[in-house]
Amino acid sequence: LNRIHPDHHAATLRAMRSVTQATAAWRLSLLSKFRLKSLDFSRFSGPTLIIASQADRLLPSVEEAHRLAEEFKQPRLHFLPYSGHISLLETEVDLSQILAESGFLPSLPSISETVTTT
């Protein structure tokens, strides 16, 4: 929680507390039954960005990222070294920046290229 903006602490805690222990166990059991092999990854021929949190204490995100990368033709892995399970809520994580740095956003012209002088 120390990596999440203080304004989001209460909502995050409320969401976490709303899930019963039985529900959490059931959801985790679904993950153990999930099989990638049943999905047709051959349809995806372009680059695929896989983002994983290295400090996820709920799920083995790094291992899953590597396993998922084996299924794609052009995988690109991006690891968040200090992020946990809810990394996209962390103030230090900027998804648009990750996508741009990884080449998954179109290039936009710079301001100097768009300004014309008269």
Side-chain angles (χ1 to χ4, degrees):
L1 286 176
N2 63 335
R3 294 177 55 86
I4 298 172
H5 192 280
D7 292 347
H8 300 133
H9 281 189
T12 303
L13 287 172
R14 251 191 330 275
M16 289 167 48
R17 290 181 182 139
S18 70
V19 178
T20 66
Q21 195 171 28
T23 300
W26 172 72
R27 288 180 180 177
L28 289 172
S29 75
L30 289 177
L31 287 174
S32 69
K33 296 174 188 172
F34 179 70
R35 297 291 174 255
L36 286 176
K37 297 296 182 194
S38 64
L39 302 174
D40 184 15
F41 289 102
S42 63
R43 300 178 340 161
F44 302 103
S45 58
T48 304
L49 182 63
I50 300 168
I51 302 171
S53 300
Q54 289 183 305
D56 188 341
R57 293 187 291 165
L58 184 59
L59 297 173
S61 297
V62 173
E63 291 84 0
E64 289 298 319
H66 285 294
R67 192 175 3 264
L68 188 58
E70 292 174 7
E71 301 295 325
F72 288 98
K73 294 178 181 175
Q74 296 184 55
R76 294 186 195 167
L77 293 167
H78 181 90
F79 296 105
L80 303 170
Y82 307 108
S83 292
H85 188 68
I86 52 176
S87 58
L88 294 180
L89 294 179
E90 296 175 6
T91 56
E92 294 87 359
V93 175
D94 183 344
L95 183 57
S96 61
Q97 181 180 357
I98 293 168
L99 293 171
E101 290 172 355
S102 301
F104 280 82
L105 288 181
S107 298
L108 299 175
S110 68
I111 292 176
S112 61
E113 294 173 338
T114 58
V115 175
T116 59
T117 57
T118 56

